[in-house]
Amino acid sequence: MKIEFEAIIPVVDSGRLLMEVPAKAAAKLEKESSQKVNAIINSKTYSCNLFYKEDRFYLHITRGIKRDVGLGAKTVFTIEIIDNGGGTEDDIHDQVLKWEIAECKALMRKVGIKTNDRVIDFGCGYGHYTIGCALALEQTGEVLALDCDKKALKWINEKEKMYMLNNIKTIHTNGEATIDFPDNSLDVILLYDVIHIQDKKSKKSLAPVLYKEAYRVLKRGGILSTLNFDSDIKKMTVENEDRRMTADDIARDIIDSGFSFSHAVDGGVHFDWYHSKYRLEKGLDFSDLERGMIQNYVKRM
Ligand SMILES: C[S@@+](CC[C@H](N)C(=O)[O-])C[C@H]1O[C@@H](n2cnc3c(N)ncnc32)[C@H](O)[C@@H]1O
């Protein structure tokens, strides 16, 4: 069976695309939670996952699509349903989406996120943690997803629609380490896989400024949740000291910035390989992604 429709391509990343199927075309589709389909655009065939959720369908082209396909322009799509004999095997794209809505939500609860909290996901990227966070808030509170990459924020907006959430606000910045919120106004700050980022001009680590800003904007007892991976830590050097940084150095810097260590939570995932076209083409599996411990701190008086 083939279904044709016109739609605007909202965002493309690492050869992938995520978008809602317009209602008229969706009405012709079988309501299965996940199906493997082909999408044909300009005579080119792309392999896709088609998700069904609460009366809407979402098309996830999982590889090979380029930005020059017509980003932001009205495009004709043909969806071809593949007869897969009734069974679909989870690929890494299914697994990532499932991780975001189930495991990450549980993870965020263990971090200490509770209903009505206001949370900042600083350097949120494609929102792997933003979604779990928004779900852990149970449609209350607010996740402020902040990044200097507009494309990543657009991807989050699509996912927010797909998961029918209404408590995410994306914030585009020019790359400053400042967090543009009043003193003592936030409950939780996530600094996940961002501690290694550097100021574009000085090439110095933004981490010390971020810890200072986190201390300023968090309420007393607010949570600073960090996630760093061994592969990054071993590349970083300690300023003014000719040696590599360790996880202990990071913990000491955070404690010196006015926080106390609270608890660690196992289960952080490093998504950088998932955003590498090269790795995806080589056949990446979810289990290949690096894992790390989330370290939580609370703001001292
Ligand atoms: C390695 S990704 C981590 C994404 C996400 N936190 C995760 O763990 O999946 C780092 C993110 O930080 C963003 N970033 C880098 N420098 C930044 C800055 N100065 N201000 C805001 N975001 C920044 C990048 O655009 C990128 O999305």
Side-chain angles (χ1 to χ4, degrees):
M1 182 177 71
K2 284 187 179 177
I3 292 158
E4 197 176 282
F5 62 90
E6 267 193 342
I8 288 174
I9 298 183
V11 59
V12 170
D13 162 62
S14 304
R16 297 180 293 121
L17 172 150
L18 182 67
M19 57 176 268
E20 189 180 341
V21 176
K24 218 168 153 189
K28 299 177 195 158
L29 294 165
E30 291 261 342
K31 292 180 177 170
E32 282 178 35
S33 62
S34 173
Q35 308 175 54
K36 300 280 177 222
V37 302
N38 284 329
I40 304 156
I41 308 170
N42 299 334
S43 318
K44 208 172 159 199
T45 304
Y46 302 93
S47 71
C48 317
N49 294 331
L50 188 67
F51 297 105
Y52 172 70
K53 199 167 185 294
E54 319 236 358
D55 254 0
R56 291 167 193 234
F57 283 89
Y58 297 88
L59 187 67
H60 189 192
I61 295 186
T62 53
R63 76 176 73 126
I65 188 155
K66 298 202 170 82
R67 287 169 67 82
D68 60 13
V69 71
L71 207 55
K74 228 177 199 175
T75 306
V76 177
F77 289 74
T78 306
I79 294 185
E80 186 179 43
I81 310 295
I82 307 165
D83 182 9
N84 55 30
T88 54
E89 225 178 82
D90 277 1
D91 59 19
I92 187 163
H93 309 287
D94 294 315
Q95 289 171 345
V96 167
L97 293 178
K98 281 184 184 162
W99 182 88
E100 288 173 358
I101 53 173
E103 281 174 60
C104 185
K105 178 180 172 186
L107 212 56
M108 291 301 114
R109 292 238 168 95
K110 287 186 197 158
V111 161
I113 288 177
K114 50 195 190 317
T115 48
N116 294 313
D117 276 354
R118 287 184 89 206
V119 183
I120 278 220
D121 185 1
F122 187 96
C124 56
Y126 286 78
H128 299 300
Y129 293 93
T130 312
I131 297 297
C133 206
L135 289 164
L137 288 171
E138 304 283 2
Q139 298 289 13
T140 70
E142 196 174 24
V143 190
L144 305 145
L146 182 152
D147 206 288
C148 55
D149 180 352
K150 257 193 193 151
K151 183 161 63 95
L153 298 178
K154 270 192 166 185
W155 193 273
I156 294 181
N157 295 144
E158 287 305 306
K159 282 206 283 199
E160 185 185 16
K161 271 197 269 164
M162 169 162 147
Y163 294 127
M164 301 196 149
L165 298 166
N166 58 8
N167 57 350
I168 298 176
K169 185 174 168 201
T170 49
I171 302 173
H172 180 239
T173 68
N174 61 5
E176 306 258 310
T178 47
I179 301 174
D180 198 8
F181 282 87
D183 297 358
N184 311 308
S185 60
L186 300 171
D187 300 284
V188 182
I189 295 190
L190 309 185
L191 292 183
Y192 285 3
D193 197 14
V194 291
I195 257 158
H196 55 283
I197 62 181
Q198 295 177 330
D199 180 75
K200 280 194 188 108
K201 280 188 203 146
S202 68
K203 300 283 171 225
K204 280 192 175 176
S205 165
L206 288 184
V209 191
L210 278 176
Y211 303 149
K212 219 172 146 191
E213 274 293 87
Y215 185 83
R216 183 185 65 76
V217 295
L218 278 172
K219 294 176 186 168
R220 190 188 302 161
I223 299 168
L224 171 61
S225 183
T226 66
L227 174 61
N228 301 299
F229 297 96
D230 290 346
S231 60
D232 287 324
I233 296 173
K234 71 178 184 206
K235 289 184 212 148
M236 291 153 61
T237 50
V238 179
E239 208 178 320
N240 303 326
E241 286 181 44
D242 189 18
R243 67 176 178 89
R244 296 283 170 192
M245 191 166 262
T246 64
D248 285 347
D249 291 319
I250 295 174
R252 186 207 53 218
D253 288 348
I254 295 174
I255 290 166
D256 287 352
S257 304
F259 294 91
S260 303
F261 178 72
S262 126
H263 65 293
V265 176
D266 201 0
V269 178
H270 200 185
F271 285 99
D272 62 343
W273 283 11
Y274 181 60
H275 293 280
S276 153
K277 208 166 154 234
Y278 169 77
R279 298 276 178 194
L280 285 173
E281 279 171 5
K282 283 194 108 182
L284 186 69
D285 190 76
F286 192 68
S287 59
D288 296 332
L289 301 179
E290 187 182 4
R291 300 300 199 267
M293 275 285 206
I294 294 173
Q295 309 286 342
N296 296 294
Y297 300 82
V298 288
K299 175 173 167 173
R300 290 196 302 263
M301 301 265 294

